[in-house]
């Protein structure tokens, strides 16, 4: 009878040890998944901050004025002042360029350079 109690106790201890090991393993897997998700969230937030900063830079009225000054002749834009618009979607588009006829197609193909 005494050996039966020892065997049952030993089996119970082995069963509890196996259960504790399995739960510890599951907990470690859950913590690893949580760490990976936290890392993904941090990366996504960093990307959003970078995109927000880039959008703020691209949407500055001073930057638009610089672009207008650089491309004034090519785009046919009128000079703009910062008080005329607040965001990039409020900038007026230039009038359509007149249709140009090509008089010598060879000049266009060679970019105006003759051999």
């Amino acid at each position: 009878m005494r050996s039966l109690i020892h065997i049952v106790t030993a089996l119970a201890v082995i069963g509890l040890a196996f259960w504790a090991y399995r739960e510890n393993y599951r907990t470690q897997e859950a913590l690893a998944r949580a760490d990976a998700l936290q890392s993904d969230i941090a990366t996504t937030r960093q990307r959003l901050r970078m995109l927000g900063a880039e959008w703020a830079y691209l949407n500055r009225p001073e930057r638009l004025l610089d672009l207008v000054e650089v491309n004034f002749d090519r785009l046919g834009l009128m000079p703009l002042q910062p008080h005329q618009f607040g965001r990039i979607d409020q900038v007026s588009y230039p009038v359509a360029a007149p249709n140009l006829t090509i008089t010598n197609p060879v000049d266009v193909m060679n970019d105006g350079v003759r051999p």
Side-chain angles (χ1 to χ4, degrees):
M1 183 71 168
R2 199 170 204 178
S3 63
L4 183 62
I5 293 174
H6 288 298
I7 292 173
V8 170
T9 305
L11 288 175
V13 168
I14 291 171
L16 285 173
F18 177 73
W19 176 81
Y21 175 77
R22 189 178 62 189
E23 289 301 314
N24 187 22
Y25 185 74
R26 286 182 184 170
T27 303
Q28 287 177 350
E29 284 183 342
L31 288 174
R33 282 195 309 265
D35 288 342
L37 286 174
Q38 288 291 338
S39 176
D40 289 346
I41 290 170
T43 303
T44 303
R45 286 181 180 164
Q46 181 64 24
R47 286 182 186 163
L48 285 173
R49 280 192 291 271
M50 290 173 60
L51 286 174
E54 187 174 347
W55 180 251
Y57 169 74
L58 292 174
N59 207 19
R60 286 184 312 125
E62 296 84 15
R63 181 182 173 279
L64 294 175
L65 286 175
D66 294 342
L67 288 174
V68 167
E69 289 174 6
V70 169
N71 299 311
F72 181 76
D73 296 331
R74 186 171 55 186
L75 297 176
L77 296 174
M78 299 302 291
L80 295 175
Q81 299 300 321
H83 68 276
Q84 290 177 312
F85 58 90
R87 297 190 336 235
I88 197 166
D89 56 355
Q90 296 173 339
V91 176
S92 60
Y93 290 100
V95 294
N99 291 335
L100 300 175
T101 58
I102 299 173
T103 56
N104 190 357
V106 175
D107 288 342
V108 174
M109 285 189 264
N110 295 330
D111 293 330
V113 178
R114 295 189 182 259

